[in-house]
Amino acid sequence: MHKISNMKTRILLSFLVCVLTFSTLGTVLFDQPVFAEPTISISPKSGVPGTKVTVTGFNFASYANNDLFVFFNNRQVTKIAGSAFASGYFQTAFEVPAHTEPGEAVISIWSVIGGQVAEEIFIVTGVMFSVSRNFGEVGAKLT
């Protein structure tokens, strides 16, 4: 009888240890806030070199107090101070660099602590120009 009582006690103690361990683990693992994935939107989504592009970031609260960097085709175009987006939201603007070739360009947000955080595609269109008149003699100067 004494042997059975000891076995029941061991099983009960093992069960209690498991319950306490898992409940503590659950508190440690699942009691942490979960942040949504950072995203950006750009406006406009296309333009010629020199176009002013506004970048708006959402869900960047987990990067508060860490500077972010905006890149255009792997070239830094601006920096956002960490204190500027403690709410998780930021907005900044830059101009599409001169001499950018037409086609797709990647606008990305980078963090020193997290590498590339978010990206969006911008379409660089051909250079637009206008002329002073749409008719004339062969060899006439256009301005």
Side-chain angles (χ1 to χ4, degrees):
M1 183 82 163
H2 184 64
K3 224 177 195 183
I4 294 175
S5 179
N6 273 344
M7 186 179 276
K8 283 183 179 179
T9 305
R10 284 185 193 166
I11 291 173
L12 182 61
L13 284 174
S14 295
F15 177 75
L16 288 174
V17 167
C18 287
V19 167
L20 290 173
T21 300
F22 285 119
S23 66
T24 304
L25 257 178
T27 302
V28 170
L29 294 177
F30 302 114
D31 199 28
Q32 301 300 315
V34 176
F35 294 104
E37 181 178 0
T39 60
I40 59 170
S41 68
I42 58 172
S43 180
K45 296 200 177 281
S46 66
V48 298
T51 299
K52 181 181 176 182
V53 178
T54 300
V55 179
T56 305
F58 305 94
N59 303 321
F60 280 85
S62 60
Y63 291 91
N65 301 318
N66 293 286
D67 295 340
L68 294 177
F69 304 90
V70 180
F71 281 76
F72 183 87
N73 272 352
N74 297 318
R75 187 170 155 212
Q76 184 181 335
V77 290
T78 191
K79 174 183 171 183
I80 307 159
S83 59
F85 53 90
S87 66
Y89 166 87
F90 72 82
Q91 192 168 63
T92 189
F94 69 93
E95 288 186 3
V96 174
H99 309 295
T100 301
E101 295 291 321
E104 286 189 354
V106 177
I107 296 174
S108 54
I109 306 298
W110 286 75
S111 165
V112 174
I113 63 168
Q116 184 174 332
V117 180
E119 73 176 26
E120 190 72 41
I121 300 295
F122 180 85
I123 305 297
V124 180
T125 56
V127 178
M128 299 178 77
F129 61 92
S130 61
V131 292
S132 59
R133 56 186 183 174
N134 57 4
F135 62 90
E137 302 291 321
V138 175
K141 279 193 165 188
L142 301 175
T143 57

